[in-house]
Amino acid sequence: FVLGHNRIISPGMINSLHVTYNKTLNERPLPEFFSPVDLGTSVYGPQPGFMGVTVTNGFGIGAGATNPGFFDSDSFLIANDTDLVRGHHQVSFGANWIRTKIETLNNRPSNGQFTFNGQATGLGLADFMLGRMSGFLQGNPVYDFDENDYVGAYIQDEWKVRNNLTLNAGLRWEPYLPIKNSLGYSSNFDKARFDQGIRSRTYPQAPPGLFFPGDPEFPGNAVMNSKVWQFAPRLGVVWTPDEATAIRAGWGIF
């Protein structure tokens, strides 16, 4: 959904407003086939009827993106820009805010990924029947429940000093606001805490050096602190000494 509104406030002043909303619902269902227990192994799998098997010169199932999960997202943006002409100056200023959120559950390695390449018997299918794996991979379900805010504001002046010389000067405020996990699934590692053997108060069983939301000095549900006072200046000049020549120069911090 996009909404835009441009308004001529006066002959020398124009305002532009934009609002945008975007949503994705990406559900990835998977018909159940079999899990590790069905094939005679005691490997635990949190997802029933699912696993990954790759047999060299045989068959493959459950690999790559053939796994259950969902990948949903929301984003909202509002931006306003104003252009003002006064004499030899054209002043532009505006601000925008973007709010994004994603909710993801990915199970690709959750029930295990079994590989049989024939290294035991010379035949991948024979290795599979004997249970002689050449490789095994398993990991936790991946939960990405993240949200983030972006904020920016700017002002810029384009000054026509004379007919063949124009100067530009601007300043942008762009704070760094780190991504946050809405469920608190975040952690951080501090080398100094590790060296001192300091453990988390929230999860005392975790290894030294790791700390989590709820621990002192942990930045909320983010893994980094915000940097609010970040500014990006920029300067530019355009000089046309004659009709066939234009010289441009610019500098900025971004």
Side-chain angles (χ1 to χ4, degrees):
F1 172 80
V2 179
L3 174 66
H5 181 248
N6 299 324
R7 183 185 180 190
I8 301 175
I9 300 175
S10 69
M13 189 175 185
I14 299 176
N15 190 80
S16 179
L17 173 67
H18 291 90
V19 178
T20 303
Y21 176 71
N22 186 64
K23 184 177 185 67
T24 63
L25 289 173
N26 185 357
E27 307 294 325
R28 191 163 68 191
L30 184 74
E32 295 185 9
F33 44 95
F34 48 80
S35 60
V37 176
D38 299 323
L39 295 184
T41 177
S42 58
V43 171
Y44 169 74
Q47 293 291 327
F50 164 74
M51 65 182 298
V53 180
T54 301
V55 180
T56 301
N57 295 324
F59 68 94
I61 190 170
T66 54
N67 53 83
F70 59 85
F71 309 84
D72 303 336
S73 67
D74 291 91
S75 62
F76 174 79
L77 176 146
I78 182 169
N80 193 84
D81 300 279
T82 303
D83 289 297
L84 178 65
V85 177
R86 289 291 185 271
H88 296 287
H89 294 267
Q90 179 176 336
V91 180
S92 302
F93 56 90
N96 65 325
W97 169 51
I98 304 174
R99 170 75 169 175
T100 57
K101 184 177 183 179
I102 186 170
E103 296 182 352
T104 294
L105 172 59
N106 192 2
N107 280 292
R108 187 180 69 82
S110 304
N111 284 14
Q113 181 72 41
F114 301 75
T115 303
F116 303 87
N117 66 1
Q119 68 179 15
T121 65
L123 294 173
L125 281 171
D127 283 8
F128 171 71
M129 297 301 294
L130 293 173
R132 304 292 297 274
M133 289 185 298
S134 60
F136 175 72
L137 171 69
Q138 188 175 31
N140 291 329
V142 178
Y143 294 93
D144 291 326
F145 284 72
D146 299 323
E147 53 190 20
N148 184 234
D149 289 286
Y150 168 85
V151 178
Y154 71 94
I155 184 170
Q156 177 171 305
D157 182 20
E158 183 175 306
W159 176 27
K160 197 170 187 62
V161 181
R162 55 177 185 262
N163 290 334
N164 67 343
L165 180 63
T166 302
L167 300 179
N168 291 277
L171 181 67
R172 184 173 184 85
W173 173 60
E174 202 168 64
Y176 172 71
L177 305 176
I179 294 175
K180 299 179 181 179
N181 189 282
S182 55
L183 299 181
Y185 293 164
S186 55
S187 62
N188 215 330
F189 177 77
D190 187 344
K191 179 66 164 54
R193 292 170 185 254
F194 174 79
D195 293 337
Q196 299 174 41
I198 299 176
R199 293 180 179 268
S200 165
R201 296 183 186 178
T202 305
Y203 297 102
Q205 73 275 21
L210 285 175
F211 60 120
F212 305 85
D215 286 333
E217 300 179 4
F218 197 90
N221 285 340
V223 296
M224 288 173 279
N225 293 311
S226 301
K227 293 183 179 180
V228 177
W229 304 114
Q230 290 200 143
F231 294 96
R234 63 282 313 270
L235 295 171
V237 59
V238 181
W239 178 42
T240 53
D242 55 60
E243 294 181 354
T245 306
I247 300 174
R248 303 172 185 269
W251 168 89
I253 296 178
F254 300 88

